[in-house]
Amino acid sequence: FLQPMSSLKVYNSYTRQKETFNSITPGHVGMYVCGPTVSGESHLGHARPFITFDVIFRYLKHQGYKVRYVRNITDAGHFEEEGREAEDKIATKAQIEKLEPMELVTKYSNLFHWAMRQFNNLDPSIEPTATGHIVEQIEMIKTIIEAGYAYAVNGSVYFDVVKYAQHYPYGKLSGRIIDDLLETTRDLDGQDEKRAKQDFALWKAAPAEHIMRWQSPWGEGFPGWHIECSAMATKYLGGQFDIHGGGMDLMFPHHESEIAQSTICNHHVPARYWLHNNMITINGKKMGKSYNNVIKLTELFSGDHPLLEQAYHPMTVRFFILQTHYRSTLDFGNEALQAAQKGLRRLWDAYGHLQNLQHPGGGPSDKALDEKVLQTIALMEEHMNDDFNTAKTLADMFELVPVINSLREKRYAADAISGDTFIKLQLAFKTYLEDIFGLQSEQASAGADNDRLDAVLQLLIDIRKEAKTRRDFATSDKIRLQLQELGVMLKDEKDGSVGISYL
């Protein structure tokens, strides 16, 4: 049930209106999404954008597009214009944790990828890192300087926002007016070096204590936050691509600055469509350290946080996020999450029954019921084509749950809907729940975890067997005793095999 590609409409933050989606290259989509800064654990705020754009990625593929999805890793620090500009979060956190910066990056990158797997997110097509593209960033900065829109001072390079705004619509994406920016920009490190307060750093000279530093034409230093994404998006998607995504909090200064840099280098606004998911709140409050309500994903899955009444399965969280349109504010709370848990189980139970039902065929169908089912299936595609409205699509699916349950409980005749409609109903549920929404049953996810645990247990048994062969009985006994403490009993059989039982 593929629709013509031009039937998809998306809300473009840049023009502030819904537009028919037409890719630059027919049949292909280039999509760039700002990825995590891996200076710490991913939290609840990270779940929404990456699940949102995973579903958009899946839906574009469902529509027949070949999608190149680029999502970066910021591993050179997060250099904020609205804070301590010269602070490198990666280096700072590395000193706190007594790790090498790239050791810290690897630790939190792995943890981020683990969380994305729990959510059943597909891997992006390309996942470039900021540290892997220093050369590209330096070359882009040189181009901006040559064009006359950046200036070097004391080993740092700043983008000339005032000059840019004389020729281009700076602030169009975020709605900021340049005169207002003069009044609202904070006093930052290196502020006295700038020609104007709203100019932002493309490259910062590294102070003596700064750990992460690279050679450049302007001396040893490190890149500004915004130039990283411009350089990586240009390299892998070209001077102009189809979709740039991210959270609404990135519109200013990050995406606004990306637009300015890329426009000078590539003579285009970098993306044709700008898509932004709205923010989340926790029990009606903005998530932040001052409210003590930052919930890490590991805490969400384990329930180990004062605000959580229980652990929440990753599929419950994914389903909860999809129950609200991505451009609407989403409030997390125990009551709402528990309702989502019940809703997902009800929907998944109906899906399981539908997959197990057999249509007998032959009898006359109920035309009114048949038409209702077909119309609801058509609405699912219509709502997804309306700016990826997962909330309305899920509501459509819940409209079909009583029909499925009535077929199962024989309140309707088995052939109350036609064989053709029955097949379309089965296919629609499979396509949307699994392929587009990326949902799994909690049991299926647990099964995958159990498979991994079984593999780890077998590995320990093999290591213990090798230790016994080497007559390393200390290691052999240590493995057996520690597994016993965890409730796993190993019994050496006469034939050399190992029996396993659980306490």
Side-chain angles (χ1 to χ4, degrees):
F1 41 133
L2 296 180
Q3 295 281 350
M5 291 179 182
S6 61
S7 64
L8 174 62
K9 293 190 184 310
V10 301
Y11 182 85
N12 189 348
S13 301
Y14 192 72
T15 61
R16 291 177 178 73
Q17 61 186 13
K18 280 186 189 176
E19 299 175 4
T20 299
F21 180 78
N22 288 305
S23 60
I24 296 168
T25 303
H28 294 255
V29 172
M31 180 169 76
Y32 187 91
V33 175
C34 293
T37 299
V38 285
S39 58
E41 262 198 70
S42 297
H43 54 68
L44 193 50
H46 295 125
R48 191 172 196 190
F50 300 129
I51 288 173
T52 294
F53 288 98
D54 179 64
V55 170
I56 289 173
F57 180 34
R58 288 167 177 269
Y59 190 68
L60 290 168
K61 294 207 300 179
H62 162 73
Q63 285 217 320
Y65 288 104
K66 183 176 181 182
V67 186
R68 176 177 285 182
Y69 173 20
V70 182
R71 186 186 69 206
N72 73 298
I73 293 280
T74 296
D75 60 348
H78 199 288
F79 313 113
E80 304 209 35
E81 299 302 321
E82 294 295 323
R84 292 168 58 195
E85 190 178 354
E87 181 187 14
D88 180 335
K89 285 187 177 181
I90 303 261
T92 303
K93 192 72 179 291
Q95 290 173 331
I96 292 169
E97 295 199 20
K98 294 182 171 55
L99 298 172
E100 283 292 324
M102 294 315 293
E103 190 176 2
L104 181 100
V105 161
T106 301
K107 172 184 174 180
Y108 288 119
S109 294
N110 289 341
L111 201 52
F112 169 74
H113 290 136
W114 170 83
M116 294 304 100
R117 287 194 298 273
Q118 303 312 299
F119 286 132
N120 196 31
N121 281 354
L122 299 176
D123 292 332
S125 314
I126 302 173
E127 192 173 53
T129 62
T131 54
H133 295 79
I134 299 295
V135 170
E136 289 84 353
Q137 293 170 65
I138 289 173
E139 289 304 309
M140 187 170 255
I141 294 168
K142 285 161 66 176
T143 300
I144 297 170
I145 292 174
E146 288 166 9
Y149 287 90
Y151 53 92
V153 53
N154 297 331
S156 296
V157 181
Y158 298 97
F159 189 91
D160 192 333
V161 172
V162 174
K163 182 175 180 180
Y164 177 84
Q166 291 169 356
H167 301 93
Y168 300 96
Y170 186 79
K172 180 176 177 179
L173 177 71
S174 61
R176 304 283 181 114
I177 299 169
I178 194 163
D179 291 340
D180 293 341
L181 295 175
L182 282 168
E183 302 303 321
T184 58
T185 306
R186 299 178 188 176
D187 289 330
L188 308 174
D189 293 343
Q191 186 70 65
D192 58 333
E193 298 178 339
K194 298 180 182 182
R195 293 176 183 171
K197 281 189 173 184
Q198 63 269 53
D199 293 352
F200 58 84
L202 297 170
W203 188 266
K204 286 295 295 182
E209 68 276 9
H210 203 89
I211 300 172
M212 298 180 82
R213 57 206 297 141
W214 291 267
Q215 287 289 347
S216 80
W218 315 285
E220 281 196 356
F222 52 88
W225 172 28
H226 316 308
I227 197 68
E228 298 174 0
C229 285
S230 285
M232 289 183 277
T234 298
K235 177 165 185 175
Y236 296 109
L237 296 174
Q240 190 175 46
F241 49 93
D242 298 297
I243 295 172
H244 195 309
M248 203 171 282
D249 57 323
L250 296 179
M251 290 175 75
F252 186 87
H254 187 46
H255 290 167
E256 201 73 75
S257 301
E258 275 190 68
I259 289 171
Q261 298 162 162
S262 297
T263 297
I264 296 305
C265 289
N266 303 320
H267 316 293
H268 291 289
V269 173
R272 183 179 280 188
Y273 305 96
W274 292 78
L275 275 57
H276 292 92
N277 64 276
N278 210 323
M279 299 297 96
I280 67 163
T281 54
I282 312 287
N283 298 320
K285 290 183 179 178
K286 181 180 176 181
M287 190 172 71
K289 290 180 182 177
S290 59
Y291 293 115
N292 195 30
N293 66 352
V294 176
I295 301 176
K296 297 172 184 176
L297 293 178
T298 50
E299 294 170 335
L300 188 65
F301 301 156
S302 68
D304 186 20
H305 190 281
L307 294 177
L308 299 175
E309 294 177 2
Q310 63 177 71
Y312 294 101
H313 193 278
M315 286 301 108
T316 297
V317 179
R318 186 178 181 99
F319 179 74
F320 177 66
I321 287 172
L322 298 182
Q323 278 187 302
T324 300
H325 189 273
Y326 76 92
R327 286 193 292 110
S328 299
T329 305
L330 179 62
D331 186 56
F332 274 80
N334 286 286
E335 190 176 330
L337 281 165
Q338 288 160 16
Q341 185 178 52
K342 291 175 184 173
L344 176 58
R345 285 175 181 168
R346 181 169 173 249
L347 192 60
W348 204 269
D349 285 346
Y351 174 47
H353 297 318
L354 179 63
Q355 297 303 95
N356 292 325
L357 283 172
Q358 296 293 324
H359 191 279
S365 62
D366 180 330
K367 288 186 179 179
L369 181 63
D370 218 54
E371 188 174 336
K372 175 188 174 182
V373 171
L374 290 174
Q375 284 178 346
T376 306
I377 291 171
L379 277 175
M380 289 157 61
E381 192 94 3
E382 185 179 317
H383 287 142
M384 280 302 289
N385 279 334
D386 183 14
D387 195 29
F388 312 104
N389 199 325
T390 57
K392 286 189 176 180
T393 305
L394 282 169
D396 296 331
M397 299 184 83
F398 275 109
E399 286 287 320
L400 293 169
V401 168
V403 176
I404 295 167
N405 289 338
S406 294
L407 289 171
R408 178 177 65 92
E409 295 162 8
K410 297 184 170 54
R411 292 200 298 270
Y412 289 142
D415 54 0
I417 60 175
S418 69
D420 183 55
T421 299
F422 182 78
I423 291 169
K424 286 180 179 177
L425 180 59
Q426 285 184 320
L427 179 60
F429 263 68
K430 160 73 170 65
T431 299
Y432 280 92
L433 277 184
E434 295 195 54
D435 302 341
I436 296 172
F437 293 157
L439 292 164
Q440 298 174 318
S441 70
E442 294 182 14
Q443 291 79 6
S445 301
D449 289 341
N450 289 338
D451 289 344
R452 284 190 283 270
L453 289 172
D454 288 345
V456 170
L457 179 57
Q458 187 58 53
L459 178 63
L460 288 170
I461 290 170
D462 291 343
I463 292 171
R464 177 173 174 267
K465 187 175 181 180
E466 290 171 7
K468 288 182 71 176
T469 302
R470 296 193 308 272
R471 304 186 70 77
D472 179 4
F473 298 114
T475 298
S476 170
D477 289 343
K478 182 178 180 181
I479 291 172
R480 180 179 59 81
L481 291 170
Q482 290 197 355
L483 284 174
Q484 184 175 317
E485 288 176 10
L486 294 170
V488 181
M489 301 289 292
L490 301 184
K491 182 182 179 184
D492 296 313
E493 306 290 355
K494 291 180 180 179
D495 62 1
S497 64
V498 178
I500 305 171
S501 59
Y502 299 93
L503 295 175

